[in-house]
Amino acid sequence: MKVAFIGLGIMGGNMAAHLAKNNVNLTVYNRTPKHFETFGNPNVTTVNSVENAVKDADVVFSMLSTPQVVEAVFFGSNGALNSMKENAIWVDCSTVNPSFSMQAFEEAKKHKIRFLDAPVSGSKIPAENAELIFLIGGEAETLNEIETYLNFMGNKVLHIGEIGKGASFKMLVNMMLAQSMVVFSEAILFGEKMGISKDFLLNTVPNLIVSPPFTKGKAEAIRNENYEVQFPLEWMHKDLHLAALTAYEMNQPLYMANLAKELYASANKNGMGRADMSAIYKYLEEIK
């Protein structure tokens, strides 16, 4: 099977690299020119247009930043869907809102393209190590056809349900992640204010039963004041915004998530958007 990968950012570049390492017949495309290491694989082709990337592909993966970008790349008269073969499979790994995944499914269906929403749980290091968890919405039969490729890029595939359910579950995961980072940061800052050693707090709090495992890595980022991006803060703000939009569509209040959204929005506005999401600690520290 011929595979195309659209979007070679922090996540997509690493995901496509694992396909290349496994000798997949791969064509890659990024909207802005970007070097892609082929690992000596003669079956990897880099092209300069999305049309050339997808025209012969049996499976097209996309990992793009926002619903608006996915729409610009795939929909409309110049979009990728117009150039894809009938009965090909589009696997969108972008983090988008569930209603957009439904819209993408309907657009794909117009072109007789099969569709899966397949966002991932994991950031830069899990992507580098092929340890992503794929959260799938769509037909099990379609998933079965492409699961081998998912296993090249990750170590777990969860079929959540029908179209939109992968995007829905990813929204829950990132909503909890964002809030947990705020709670952890606030606790460390409060502990410091009460006179407890910062080193003691960063050594101890992540190991408490009440702390999510990911805080161990973020504690080291805070300790070293190294906010090298693993998951950009601006994209966490985007994901919280999508959660708020979805909650509005469903008339469901999200009290804490919306508060977290405004904190990330403020940090983004103050120039921290391209730093790692753990930089929310630095922002809270500066406004304490």
Side-chain angles (χ1 to χ4, degrees), residues 3 16 19 25 27 37 141 143 159 256:
V3 177
L19 295 176
N25 188 343
T27 301
E37 176 59 63
E141 182 179 335
L143 171 59
H159 187 200
M256 301 305 294

Side-chain angles (χ1 to χ4, degrees), residues 1-4 19 22-27 41 43-45 149:
M1 293 177 73
K2 295 182 178 180
V3 177
L19 295 176
N22 284 279
N23 294 316
V24 171
N25 188 343
L26 182 68
T27 301
N41 185 341
N43 293 324
V44 178
T45 303
Y149 302 116

Side-chain angles (χ1 to χ4, degrees), residues 11 17 24 38 55 101 125 128 137 162 191-192 207-208 222 246 272 274 282:
M11 300 297 291
V24 171
T38 65
K55 64 182 182 180
S101 284
I125 292 175
E128 289 176 346
E162 65 268 20
E192 290 181 74
N207 294 303
L208 298 177
I222 292 169
T246 303
M272 297 181 181
R274 295 306 299 165
K282 181 176 176 63

Side-chain angles (χ1 to χ4, degrees), residues 19-39:
L19 295 176
K21 287 177 183 178
N22 284 279
N23 294 316
V24 171
N25 188 343
L26 182 68
T27 301
V28 297
Y29 168 75
N30 201 60
R31 291 187 306 145
T32 55
K34 185 171 185 176
H35 173 72
F36 182 75
E37 176 59 63
T38 65
F39 302 96

Side-chain angles (χ1 to χ4, degrees), residues 22-182:
N22 284 279
N23 294 316
V24 171
N25 188 343
L26 182 68
T27 301
V28 297
Y29 168 75
N30 201 60
R31 291 187 306 145
T32 55
K34 185 171 185 176
H35 173 72
F36 182 75
E37 176 59 63
T38 65
F39 302 96
N41 185 341
N43 293 324
V44 178
T45 303
T46 302
V47 295
N48 60 6
S49 73
V50 70
E51 294 83 2
N52 287 333
V54 305
K55 64 182 182 180
D56 296 320
D58 301 292
V59 181
V60 175
F61 289 97
S62 54
M63 177 58 96
L64 299 166
S65 56
T66 67
Q68 291 78 14
V69 172
V70 177
E71 181 174 358
V73 172
F74 278 85
F75 297 3
S77 58
N78 296 318
L81 289 173
N82 259 346
S83 299
M84 288 176 65
K85 301 189 300 185
E86 285 190 12
N87 207 41
I89 301 172
W90 173 23
V91 186
D92 186 27
C93 300
S94 315
T95 298
V96 300
N97 45 318
S99 58
F100 180 83
S101 284
M102 290 300 302
Q103 183 183 355
F105 167 70
E106 294 297 336
E107 287 293 323
K109 189 162 66 172
K110 291 176 187 176
H111 293 83
K112 299 181 180 179
I113 304 297
R114 292 177 288 164
F115 177 79
L116 294 173
D117 55 293
V120 300
S121 177
S123 54
K124 180 182 179 181
I125 292 175
E128 289 176 346
N129 295 334
E131 294 173 346
L132 297 171
I133 300 172
F134 285 87
L135 312 171
I136 308 297
E139 292 289 338
E141 182 179 335
T142 306
L143 171 59
N144 289 340
E145 291 186 42
I146 57 96
E147 193 162 4
T148 296
Y149 302 116
L150 302 182
N151 289 327
F152 289 153
M153 298 181 284
N155 62 9
K156 186 177 290 186
V157 177
L158 299 178
H159 187 200
I160 311 298
E162 65 268 20
I163 294 295
K165 293 301 184 287
S168 297
F169 194 76
K170 176 61 185 293
M171 188 168 288
L172 298 182
V173 171
N174 278 17
M175 187 176 75
M176 294 177 68
L177 178 65
Q179 292 177 80
S180 295
M181 190 68 236
V182 171

Side-chain angles (χ1 to χ4, degrees), residues 172-283:
L172 298 182
V173 171
N174 278 17
M175 187 176 75
M176 294 177 68
L177 178 65
Q179 292 177 80
S180 295
M181 190 68 236
V182 171
V183 170
F184 178 75
S185 299
E186 191 172 64
I188 299 300
L189 289 166
F190 187 36
E192 290 181 74
K193 193 71 172 180
M194 293 189 291
I196 302 174
S197 159
K198 182 176 180 179
D199 279 336
F200 175 84
L201 291 167
L202 292 175
N203 288 337
T204 307
V205 174
N207 294 303
L208 298 177
I209 194 170
V210 296
S211 298
F214 83 89
T215 58
K216 293 179 182 179
K218 299 308 183 186
E220 291 309 303
I222 292 169
R223 188 195 313 277
N224 298 317
E225 296 188 2
N226 178 9
Y227 300 105
E228 180 183 353
V229 64
Q230 305 294 321
F231 185 147
L233 185 146
E234 65 178 335
W235 296 147
M236 184 58 81
H237 174 221
K238 179 266 294 185
D239 293 349
L240 289 167
H241 173 64
L242 295 179
L245 287 176
T246 303
Y248 178 79
E249 292 169 358
M250 298 182 173
N251 195 30
Q252 172 66 35
L254 291 179
Y255 304 109
M256 301 305 294
N258 275 298
L259 175 57
K261 176 173 73 76
E262 296 308 316
L263 288 170
Y264 283 92
S266 295
N268 190 23
K269 182 179 179 182
N270 280 271
M272 297 181 181
R274 295 306 299 165
D276 186 67
M277 60 164 288
S278 56
I280 196 68
Y281 170 90
K282 181 176 176 63
Y283 176 69

